[in-house]
Amino acid sequence: MSTPSPIRIAAVLSTEHRGRLMSQAREVHFREGARIFDEGSRAESFWIVRSGTVTLEIPVPGRRPASVENLGPGELVGWSWLFPPYVWQLGAEAMTPVRAYEFDGPGIRMLMDTDPAFGSAVGHWVGRVLALRLHQTRTRLLDLYAPHTAAR
């Protein structure tokens, strides 16, 4: 759950595409315990963590939300801004004070549409992050809720 993601922006996007994306960034801060977004709410922004830890969680009926992954510096927080209906599929909370770069999802989608190479690069990056997150979420939920048998 706390293993750093191998899909950091610096390792995936070219210098040119990373520069284009970062030119749209706005610096933000979240205090410890702040809700960044909740499952089911409108997804209009995304973030890249500069410092601190963000926890992704999934609601579990009748229980506390299950923490499925911790994100740190260089990691993408949020992918639902890229895919209709633009609604968060998980929740996110700042577990420590967090400094991040914030991006306007609709604005970045517009840039992606006007520059196909940039759009392809960002789309592939977010897709790789999404695939990793789905795998890690599945693994974490199995750890939490699958029946465990005694070793023989």
Side-chain angles (χ1 to χ4, degrees):
M1 178 173 78
S2 61
T3 303
S5 168
I7 312 296
R8 295 185 191 283
I9 185 174
V12 177
L13 293 181
S14 70
T15 302
E16 176 188 348
H17 292 145
R18 191 170 57 247
R20 180 137 193 226
L21 180 65
M22 295 309 294
S23 73
Q24 303 298 308
R26 179 175 83 92
E27 292 187 32
V28 295
H29 304 275
F30 297 101
R31 63 175 167 60
E32 181 177 334
R35 295 296 302 167
I36 298 171
F37 56 83
D38 290 304
E39 180 188 35
S41 61
R42 187 94 176 126
E44 296 183 345
S45 298
F46 65 97
W47 302 265
I48 296 173
V49 177
R50 293 180 60 211
S51 66
T53 304
V54 174
T55 294
L56 298 179
E57 57 192 27
I58 188 166
V60 178
R63 296 183 180 199
R64 294 179 52 125
S67 173
V68 294
E69 188 173 3
N70 292 326
L71 306 177
E75 294 187 284
L76 174 68
V77 178
W79 50 264
S80 297
W81 62 274
L82 186 53
F83 304 103
Y86 311 115
V87 173
W88 294 117
Q89 302 300 307
L90 299 170
E93 180 176 329
M95 295 309 292
T96 65
V98 171
R99 293 180 347 173
Y101 294 113
E102 182 176 67
F103 301 85
D104 173 63
I108 298 300
R109 288 194 309 267
M110 192 165 51
L111 286 176
M112 292 171 70
D113 288 344
T114 60
D115 181 345
F118 174 74
S120 177
V122 171
H124 281 97
W125 169 51
V126 174
R128 289 176 64 186
V129 170
L130 174 56
L132 180 65
R133 299 270 162 80
L134 289 174
H135 173 76
Q136 290 174 323
T137 298
R138 178 182 177 275
T139 300
R140 178 65 175 146
L141 291 175
L142 285 172
D143 286 346
L144 289 172
Y145 300 111
H148 298 282
T149 58
R152 293 179 195 206

